[in-house]
Amino acid sequence: MTIDRRKILLAAPALLAACSGSKMLSYNGPQVTSIMAFKERRKLYLMHGNTALKSYPFQLGFAPVGHKRFEGDGKTPEGTYIIDRRNPQSAYHLSVGISYPNARDRAFAAAHGRSPGGEIFIHGTPEEVVGKKDWTAGCIAVMNHEVEEIYTMVGDYTPVFVKA
């Protein structure tokens, strides 16, 4: 019995994909038109117009009350942002970036001679902090299986509204 090398070469990508344990799901539902996050309630909603498609509990920065002003303050930003990047290799399973700081955030920090910080994401949760409350440095953290859904459902440039 001979093995056709062409068949092996053509089948290799499919075999690798099947064995990779990919974090990616597929989504074929209504478009997520915005993300609403309510810090006090610790609830994040994926919205299609005025309809919530999904909701998730979350953890915040270690100093959860108030708007993020400066790097290292442990606060989660409040305001209107967009999803501006994705990180499939995130240290926190998967992550989608929030466009903090905006021009107003940068101007406020500059007026105080400080950095506004950055690198704010919606991301997963490592095992060692599961069950802890408000452990991030300012991000919004959901469970890993939830960030997989969010990563798949939410497109780049989706508006993100973070409210107190």
Side-chain angles (χ1 to χ4, degrees), residues 21-24 87-95 123-126 142-148 151:
S22 174
K23 301 174 192 176
M24 298 303 130
N87 186 357
Q89 303 300 318
S90 173
Y92 299 101
H93 194 61
L94 289 171
S95 60
H123 61 64
T125 301
V142 296
M143 298 305 294
N144 290 346
H145 69 278
E146 295 167 335
V147 79
E148 290 175 10
Y151 193 96

Side-chain angles (χ1 to χ4, degrees), residues 15-91:
L15 290 171
L16 288 172
C19 297
S20 69
S22 174
K23 301 174 192 176
M24 298 303 130
L25 303 172
S26 62
Y27 177 68
N28 197 19
Q31 178 185 8
V32 175
T33 57
S34 66
I35 299 171
M36 302 286 298
F38 296 92
K39 290 170 57 174
E40 189 173 319
R41 287 190 256 165
R42 304 296 194 282
K43 215 49 159 161
L44 182 137
Y45 298 90
L46 302 185
M47 305 295 295
H48 175 75
N50 292 327
T51 303
L53 299 173
K54 290 281 209 170
S55 67
Y56 307 94
F58 62 79
Q59 296 88 38
L60 293 168
F62 60 83
V65 177
H67 175 57
K68 182 168 195 61
R69 296 290 187 194
F70 308 114
E71 184 172 12
D73 66 7
K75 296 183 183 299
T76 300
E78 296 172 1
T80 302
Y81 301 94
I82 62 167
I83 296 299
D84 65 349
R85 62 204 180 278
R86 305 174 166 274
N87 186 357
Q89 303 300 318
S90 173

Side-chain angles (χ1 to χ4, degrees), residues 89-133:
Q89 303 300 318
S90 173
Y92 299 101
H93 194 61
L94 289 171
S95 60
V96 291
I98 297 174
S99 62
Y100 175 87
N102 60 28
R104 189 171 27 147
D105 298 321
R106 286 189 297 275
F108 182 88
H112 291 84
R114 309 263 313 264
S115 166
E119 299 299 311
I120 302 297
F121 289 87
I122 299 169
H123 61 64
T125 301
E127 282 188 38
E128 61 269 15
V129 295
V130 169
K132 279 189 169 184
K133 186 173 181 179

